[in-house]
Amino acid sequence: MRVRTPFGRVGFGKRLVASVAALATIAGIGVVAGTGTASAWGTGNGFQQFRVDGCGMPGGVKVRSWSKPGNYKTVVMLDGLRATNDVSGWEHETNVQNMVDRGVNVVMPVGGAASFYSDWNAPSNFNGQTYTYKWNCVIANTLPQALYARNMVPSGKLAIAGISMGGNAALVVAANNKRYYSHAFSMSGYLNLSAPGMKSAIRVALLDADGGPWNSDSMWGPPWSTRWYDNDPFVQITKMHDLKVRVASGSGIPGGYNQNDNAVSIVQGVPLEMLSLAQTRAFEVQAFVNRVQLTTDYPFAGTHKWGYWQDMMWRALQQGWFR
């Protein structure tokens, strides 16, 4: 499993403490728990692999999907900060592909490490990137168009869901692309990226991410750039009317999926989820004030770990959220 980005928000004083904790937490962290192995999903079960236009990213974007005739919804699954280029973390670490047998097609774009699934301003000059990330263009345009062309959007519009970095991206993408997306789900996301201290936390997280160091100035510009607000779900809340929004976060209390973790893994994973919980709760209040349709999932136990995110997806299915 790969570490997910640590940001948090409570009150002004607490936010500062949370930000400092976030910076301390990710410094030097390579992994939180075991890496797992990719599941053998390459045949049957409605599996397809194809590429979509990368909007200038060389080679396009690999997509792995599971679909069946008669299913009622298709969900696009976004990965976290340390996304790899072989398959999505969702495929590496969970069984959500099995939702294809319960009425929901599953689509996983592959790659995008440290991208926040955004269109960057420029290539990252810290690590010698030779092209500019254009992930928003893919998730908001070329991927939906490819899915429509393949008759993989049975309900007319898509759902989108993501963890950590992919959680806040899912909400922003759906808010700005309601012609394609009707449902948006953030799990353990950091939903106020422009809050005090968060920009510094993101900067440090990108320096540490695989393939880095990545330069956050190349992503959304310097801290005073308005692009930080354009990509902040908390700020973009008024665009989420007419969407079915769902947010989830664990408590930070270790549970069943932590039984085999060592002490270091638990100490690393707990603060990440507590910070996410604080920002997710704040976003819930923001949604209530702005009358945005919202459902929530706050399990008693849960750290920043794939098993808990897998359960969050299945609960969403069982509770009818994809309908």
Side-chain angles (χ1 to χ4, degrees):
M1 173 182 164
R2 295 160 295 283
V3 169
R4 298 317 194 239
T5 320
F7 321 117
R9 180 180 186 276
V10 186
F12 178 75
K14 293 181 180 179
R15 280 182 295 190
L16 181 58
V17 173
S19 299
V20 172
L23 299 176
T25 300
I26 69 170
I29 293 176
V31 295
V32 166
T35 57
T37 56
S39 302
W41 290 95
T43 59
N45 222 35
F47 174 79
Q48 297 182 62
Q49 179 173 300
F50 53 94
R51 287 189 174 270
V52 300
D53 185 344
C55 301
M57 294 190 292
V61 169
K62 179 167 67 175
V63 179
R64 291 168 68 83
S65 69
W66 296 261
S67 63
K68 286 187 175 181
N71 281 356
Y72 62 86
K73 198 68 176 179
T74 296
V75 59
V76 175
M77 305 295 301
L78 302 184
D79 209 334
L81 188 72
R82 298 179 187 273
T84 57
N85 292 321
D86 52 353
V87 301
S88 168
W90 284 104
E91 185 175 353
H92 269 299
E93 305 287 353
T94 79
N95 64 3
V96 300
Q97 299 91 330
N98 282 334
M99 289 185 177
V100 72
D101 296 322
R102 298 285 300 277
V104 176
N105 300 326
V106 178
V107 175
M108 299 180 188
V110 178
S115 68
F116 279 81
Y117 293 103
S118 181
D119 289 352
W120 284 38
N121 288 350
S124 174
N125 57 331
F126 284 2
N127 60 346
Q129 188 181 27
T130 57
Y131 62 92
T132 302
Y133 266 153
K134 293 294 181 183
W135 276 95
N136 181 77
C137 177
V138 171
I139 305 301
N141 291 288
T142 63
L143 176 59
Q145 290 167 11
L147 296 177
Y148 279 102
R150 292 171 178 269
N151 296 315
M152 289 178 61
V153 192
S155 64
K157 292 187 179 182
L158 298 158
I160 185 169
I163 56 100
S164 198
M165 170 189 86
N168 38 269
L171 299 190
V172 170
V173 167
N176 287 287
N177 296 279
K178 286 186 276 191
R179 61 174 177 163
Y180 291 137
Y181 292 99
S182 59
H183 295 53
F185 186 8
S186 167
M187 289 159 278
S188 302
Y190 299 93
L191 305 184
N192 192 357
L193 301 182
S194 55
M198 295 305 102
K199 297 173 185 178
S200 295
I202 292 171
R203 179 177 296 276
V204 175
L206 293 188
L207 292 174
D208 176 70
D210 293 352
W214 302 86
N215 183 1
S216 64
D217 288 345
S218 300
M219 182 168 65
W220 297 329
W224 52 86
S225 169
T226 58
R227 290 212 65 208
W228 287 89
Y229 303 99
D230 293 340
N231 288 280
D232 185 341
F234 194 90
V235 176
Q236 299 300 316
I237 189 73
T238 58
K239 294 182 179 179
M240 298 182 196
H241 294 117
D242 303 319
L243 287 176
K244 286 186 70 173
V245 181
R246 186 175 177 93
V247 295
S249 179
S251 63
I253 299 172
Y257 291 109
N258 301 103
Q259 289 181 355
N260 296 321
D261 291 352
N262 58 36
V264 173
S265 295
I266 293 175
V267 168
Q268 290 170 350
V270 167
L272 300 176
E273 200 65 13
M274 293 177 67
L275 295 172
S276 167
L277 177 62
Q279 286 218 328
T280 302
R281 286 288 194 182
F283 179 85
E284 181 184 358
V285 174
Q286 176 80 323
F288 175 78
V289 170
N290 287 276
R291 299 180 181 179
V292 169
Q293 183 181 1
L294 185 74
T295 59
T296 62
D297 182 8
Y298 297 116
F300 173 75
T303 62
H304 220 60
K305 193 167 184 178
W306 282 103
Y308 300 108
W309 298 323
Q310 173 182 279
D311 289 352
M312 289 171 183
M313 283 295 295
W314 282 105
R315 279 194 294 272
L317 178 70
Q318 292 159 3
Q319 293 171 11
W321 180 75
F322 290 102
R323 292 286 184 180

